[in-house]
Amino acid sequence: MNSDILNTEIQDFISDNLNTEPTSLVLRGSPFPHISIQKLVEQIEAKQKCKSKLPIWYAAKNIYYPNKLNIEQTSSEITAAYKSELVSGKSLIDITGGFGVDTYYFSKQIDEVVHCEINTELSEIVSHNNNQLQISNVETIALNGIDYLRSNNKNYNWIYIDPSRRHNSKGKVFMLKDCIPNVPEHLNTFFTYADNILIKTSPLLDISLGLKELTGVKEIQIVAVNNEVKELLWLLRKGYDNDIRITAANIKKDSKDVFSFLRHHEAAAKIELSQPLTYLYEPNAAILKSGGFNSVATDLGLTKIHMHSHLYTSNQRVAFPGRCFKIETVYSFSKKEMKALTKSQANITTRNFPESVKDIRRKYKIKDGGSNYLFFTTDHQNNRIIIKCTKPN
């Protein structure tokens, strides 16, 4: 960490050039003899990435930024704030600290937080930034988190782990055993020092595979932001061997859709199938990742259009974790019926349908956009249908 970067004139240069092309800056060279232009561009690019992802850091004075890869890999403020609400107690240790966004938010909920980061420069950066952000209850330790746990021999209410998904020889990985640290291998060690463990994993990790690698899983949280799944959170409890709760959360600008179910209830739930009724429902991305297709139907009193379409319907409108539409017309997928839709304008979605959106638009010359929504799908009698919808008032 080069503290000269924190000089006022250099900080002003960084702020003044946030919208300047990096290439042009490199060509001009550094106006400061003791700071290379590469270092300045690194600070500028990293700060740019924080504008929407980490607005508190972006707005604060004299924040020191690591390289932009560290910013890309860190949690956003939105997801960090969400996961901080899952923990409570006196103490938490983050053994894979990184840029410290998660620990910043944990410090709002937990009295004593330890941030372990093996990269000594990054640990120094986090310590400096915590001072700038006036965070006083986070201790930064520049050591391997597992080594620190063993050497310190202290118990915590929580251990938090965000394993690196970049393996030295395998490249980008998703299985927990291939990540660093290898959580399944060290799980017994972790439970020696804490009764509760919170693990963040890639949204691409298959839930059933994760459950095969872990023990003590009490709850799995699927966290989406604006209908894009960002991370899976695994809450483990020492000695827990009961049913697992799965929660699908989609965080929107002004609200949050949260739906929970028990895993064995999902397997046992009996759903009804029907033709499209008055309203059509499309689950959000978090529900789709959770696999709670039966639970969302039974809990909300909905019927399903087809067992494998994951589209739901009802006569009375209900609050639903996803999109809701008013059904206007149902067409059979035939040349005769498609004449009414050819050369029209509509938003198209396909579910359990043999043709792609691109092929449908090309074949029937349907322009994108407008106030109509067309769902090309299969009904419970295995007939190809098109459901024409509008957004309800």
Side-chain angles (χ1 to χ4, degrees):
M1 178 176 168
N2 187 344
S3 58
D4 288 342
I5 284 175
L6 301 171
N7 291 344
T8 301
E9 58 180 345
I10 296 176
Q11 287 293 301
D12 289 343
F13 178 85
I14 291 169
S15 296
D16 292 342
N17 286 279
L18 287 173
N19 297 316
T20 305
E21 280 293 324
T23 304
S24 66
L25 287 173
V26 171
L27 291 173
R28 280 157 44 190
S30 173
F32 310 105
H34 52 298
I35 301 290
S36 71
I37 190 60
Q38 287 77 18
K39 276 291 182 184
L40 292 170
V41 169
E42 183 179 80
Q43 290 292 304
I44 290 168
E45 289 182 329
K47 184 169 184 176
Q48 284 173 331
K49 288 188 173 294
C50 290
K51 186 172 184 178
S52 58
K53 186 175 185 177
L54 305 174
I56 288 177
W57 278 256
Y58 182 85
K61 299 291 185 183
N62 290 327
I63 293 295
Y64 196 106
Y65 296 93
N67 63 61
K68 62 181 181 180
L69 180 62
N70 288 123
I71 303 299
E72 290 170 356
Q73 292 178 338
T74 193
S75 299
S76 67
E77 283 189 38
I78 292 173
T79 58
Y82 179 86
K83 70 168 69 74
S84 72
E85 297 173 0
L86 304 178
V87 301
S88 61
K90 184 177 176 60
S91 60
L92 177 147
I93 181 168
D94 179 349
I95 67 167
T96 52
F99 189 51
V101 177
D102 287 322
T103 53
Y104 171 88
Y105 278 93
F106 288 140
S107 73
K108 307 293 186 181
Q109 306 287 341
I110 303 289
D111 295 338
E112 301 170 7
V113 178
V114 177
H115 172 281
C116 288
E117 172 51 53
I118 195 171
N119 182 319
T120 54
E121 182 181 23
L122 186 53
S123 180
E124 187 181 359
I125 288 170
V126 173
S127 180
H128 163 80
N129 288 343
N130 284 346
N131 288 331
Q132 297 305 119
L133 297 168
Q134 298 182 339
I135 297 298
S136 59
N137 62 329
V138 174
E139 181 183 8
T140 54
I141 305 293
L143 289 173
N144 176 294
I146 297 176
D147 291 343
Y148 179 75
L149 272 175
R150 287 170 170 156
S151 64
N152 196 42
N153 197 29
K154 177 182 175 181
N155 287 339
Y156 299 87
N157 294 123
W158 285 89
I159 293 176
Y160 173 66
I161 314 165
D162 179 5
S164 171
R165 296 184 285 276
R166 295 180 184 275
H167 194 278
N168 292 336
S169 60
K170 296 182 181 180
K172 200 166 186 179
V173 296
F174 302 102
M175 294 287 288
L176 281 167
K177 66 181 180 181
D178 294 327
C179 296
I180 302 173
N182 181 333
V183 174
E185 180 183 31
H186 295 288
L187 199 54
N188 288 336
T189 297
F190 297 144
F191 277 132
T192 301
Y193 300 104
D195 288 342
N196 301 287
I197 299 171
L198 175 59
I199 306 168
K200 169 188 167 184
T201 67
S202 164
L204 297 180
L205 177 63
D206 184 272
I207 289 175
S208 60
L209 292 179
L211 287 171
K212 289 179 180 178
E213 293 190 277
L214 297 171
T215 58
V217 178
K218 185 178 181 181
E219 184 173 358
I220 303 167
Q221 294 251 354
I222 297 96
V223 183
V225 178
N226 296 322
N227 209 33
E228 181 183 355
V229 178
K230 295 294 187 180
E231 56 195 47
L232 304 185
L233 303 174
W234 304 73
L235 288 81
L236 280 57
R237 174 77 177 175
K238 186 176 182 178
Y240 186 81
D241 188 23
N242 211 327
D243 202 6
I244 298 167
R245 178 167 293 280
I246 299 180
T247 298
N250 181 41
I251 306 168
K252 299 179 285 188
K253 184 177 180 181
D254 300 314
S255 62
K256 183 166 56 182
D257 286 339
V258 180
F259 180 79
S260 291
F261 60 94
L262 294 174
R263 198 160 181 258
H264 89 271
H265 285 176
E266 170 63 23
K270 304 296 183 183
I271 62 169
E272 294 183 14
L273 304 176
S274 79
Q275 290 295 327
L277 302 171
T278 305
Y279 293 97
L280 183 74
Y281 305 93
E282 180 188 31
N284 62 39
I287 295 287
L288 293 175
K289 177 66 180 181
S290 76
F293 307 122
N294 296 343
S295 297
V296 77
T298 56
D299 286 13
L300 300 179
L302 306 175
T303 55
K304 212 173 180 186
I305 289 173
H306 188 282
M307 185 60 72
H308 304 300
S309 293
H310 306 321
L311 291 173
Y312 303 84
T313 189
S314 69
N315 279 320
Q316 301 298 319
R317 186 178 176 182
V318 301
F320 185 80
R323 297 198 297 173
C324 173
F325 301 89
K326 176 74 164 54
I327 297 175
E328 303 294 338
T329 313
V330 179
Y331 301 92
S332 63
F333 184 60
S334 64
K335 289 183 178 180
K336 181 180 179 181
E337 296 273 35
M338 283 303 298
K339 285 182 180 180
L341 300 173
T342 300
K343 296 184 179 180
S344 62
Q345 183 181 31
N347 304 278
I348 297 177
T349 299
T350 58
R351 288 285 185 271
N352 190 20
F353 197 81
E355 297 190 33
S356 68
V357 172
K358 182 179 179 181
D359 288 340
I360 290 169
R361 289 199 183 282
R362 177 184 52 79
K363 189 182 296 186
Y364 300 103
K365 298 180 174 59
I366 301 174
K367 295 181 180 179
D368 190 20
S371 58
N372 290 319
Y373 294 78
L374 299 178
F375 285 83
F376 287 73
T377 188
T378 303
D379 68 14
H380 70 286
Q381 295 176 328
N382 290 320
N383 298 313
R384 310 296 187 198
I385 60 171
I386 307 103
I387 308 171
K388 182 180 179 181
C389 306
T390 56
K391 285 288 185 70
N393 295 326

